[in-house]
Amino acid sequence: MLADGLRRGGRTRPPEHWRDLMSNTHIIPLEPLHAAMRLVVRGFGSTEAEVQAVASNLIEANLKGHDSHGIGMLPRYALAYLEGNLQPNAQMSVSLDAGALLRLDGNAGFGQVIGQQAMALGITRAKAHGSCIVALGNSHHLGRIGAWAEQVAEAGLVSMHFVNVISRPFVAPFGGADARFGTNPFCAGVPLPGRPPVILDFATSVIAQGKTRVAYNKGESVAPGCLIDGRGEPTQDPGCMFVPPLGALLTFGGHKGYGLAAMCELLGGALAAGMTQRVPEGDKMRILNGMFSVLVDPDALGQRAQFESEALAFIEWVQASPPREGYGPVQMAGDAERASQAQRSRDGVPVDATTWKEILAAAAQLGVAPDQVQAAAGLA
């Protein structure tokens, strides 16, 4: 039933008694979760390397507290694959190689693989030339963009990423009454000595679209100011994103988030991918991303030591601010994700029962026995 609802571009809201039965949450230890998700991903016909890359990337998003980009994406990936719009085992190809300027085609492959390949090549070129611009198009869902900034930061490089989304539109322009583009994330990463990197990663909508899916599956409302319904009126019901008449997410900060979303579309879409969101996607389940990335080697500027000294001094100054009532110590971007990863790695990953039911249904569609997935997760 859920898969049929997704294919129609919306979901059939479960009867209330069924929703009550599904309201509990599973807490799945990390290793069993990996085993279960590898089983599901094998259903795509992926190589073992791809199975590991996709499962690990999705679970890492859950670990970092971003369930919107975690294993709950697998049901949609399964439908995109069955439509022929996701190509397992596809590899990145190079359309233009100008040394420090690359144009890459993801060939509709798993973004968890394509993103890693694109950033690995960009890192090599940035270290050789001092900087590199990577224009990536036609990748299936790149997942949590922070993963790619983390990969670059681990190599000692600074990066910025502008991303567009080709899918059913989910976000309304500032002042608009219906959805016209995707959640268009922006991300930046800064490596620093003696502390984890600063990783800023956010959707240009108030909340990520996947967070409405998580809230809907849990039977929860979203915060005020995130959504408008099919009439363009404010609502807190995430069901408006799945049950017609469909509503839309709002951009963060009004016209400011809208402006950044437009830049992500112009740079990640028009410039990098040659593809922008300008027509409805209808019932297609694919999620294609374009990503315009700028990688910089501080060593090439001849001032890494000064850069690092100033950056650390600034962070120390900012974090010395006394917390306001109701808040903890001042954090930098990426700190909350690392705290979540430590806690969930230790205690297990929460997965609401509706999302788990959808994952089992997706496994069946991929030819994987749901009871095997259930047993691997320790839920049999």
Side-chain angles (χ1 to χ4, degrees), residues 205-274:
S205 51
V206 179
I207 57 174
Q209 188 276 333
K211 293 190 186 300
T212 65
R213 168 179 51 79
V214 173
Y216 181 71
N217 283 352
K218 290 182 176 180
E220 299 174 349
S221 298
V222 300
C226 295
L227 292 171
I228 54 176
D229 63 20
R231 301 183 304 276
E233 299 294 329
T235 181
Q236 290 180 254
D237 179 8
C240 75
M241 299 299 292
F242 305 102
V243 181
L246 298 173
L249 287 160
L250 298 175
T251 55
F252 80 87
H255 65 283
K256 296 179 181 180
Y258 166 49
L260 185 53
M263 282 297 173
C264 287
E265 197 72 42
L266 295 173
L267 297 178
L271 183 59

Side-chain angles (χ1 to χ4, degrees), residues 307-354:
F307 155 66
E308 292 176 343
S309 175
E310 286 295 323
L312 290 171
F314 168 74
I315 291 172
E316 182 180 0
W317 161 254
V318 168
Q319 293 193 296
S321 177
R324 284 188 287 153
E325 184 177 354
Y327 290 83
V330 173
Q331 296 184 318
M332 294 302 293
D335 290 346
E337 285 81 358
R338 286 183 284 269
S340 173
Q341 184 169 23
Q343 183 265 316
R344 289 186 170 190
S345 294
R346 180 186 66 245
D347 299 336
V349 175
V351 183
D352 70 87
T354 303

Side-chain angles (χ1 to χ4, degrees), residues 44-99:
F44 291 95
S46 296
T47 65
E48 279 304 304
E50 183 167 275
V51 167
Q52 181 64 28
V54 173
S56 296
N57 177 278
L58 293 174
I59 291 171
E60 183 181 52
N62 289 103
L63 289 174
K64 298 209 171 196
H66 295 290
D67 297 327
S68 57
H69 289 66
I71 61 173
M73 292 301 303
L74 281 169
R76 185 158 183 184
Y77 289 3
L79 292 178
Y81 165 67
L82 293 171
E83 289 175 347
N85 290 315
L86 166 59
Q87 304 302 321
N89 303 312
Q91 302 295 305
M92 174 196 78
S93 58
V94 179
S95 303
L96 171 70
D97 186 345

Side-chain angles (χ1 to χ4, degrees), residues 126-277:
K127 288 189 171 182
H129 299 284
S131 65
C132 183
I133 292 175
V134 180
L136 171 64
N138 195 33
S139 170
H140 201 262
H141 189 230
L142 286 164
R144 186 180 65 90
I145 306 303
W148 315 127
E150 289 165 357
Q151 180 184 348
V152 176
E154 189 175 351
L157 307 179
V158 172
S159 66
M160 294 180 291
H161 311 264
F162 298 83
V163 183
N164 89 318
V165 184
I166 301 297
S167 178
R168 172 169 72 83
F170 288 113
V171 186
F174 180 67
D178 67 357
R180 293 284 160 162
F181 48 84
T183 53
N184 289 14
F186 170 80
C187 182
V190 178
L192 292 169
R195 60 152 289 140
V198 177
I199 303 292
L200 177 66
D201 177 19
F202 58 83
T204 48
S205 51
V206 179
I207 57 174
Q209 188 276 333
K211 293 190 186 300
T212 65
R213 168 179 51 79
V214 173
Y216 181 71
N217 283 352
K218 290 182 176 180
E220 299 174 349
S221 298
V222 300
C226 295
L227 292 171
I228 54 176
D229 63 20
R231 301 183 304 276
E233 299 294 329
T235 181
Q236 290 180 254
D237 179 8
C240 75
M241 299 299 292
F242 305 102
V243 181
L246 298 173
L249 287 160
L250 298 175
T251 55
F252 80 87
H255 65 283
K256 296 179 181 180
Y258 166 49
L260 185 53
M263 282 297 173
C264 287
E265 197 72 42
L266 295 173
L267 297 178
L271 183 59
M275 183 186 295
T276 57
Q277 180 72 71

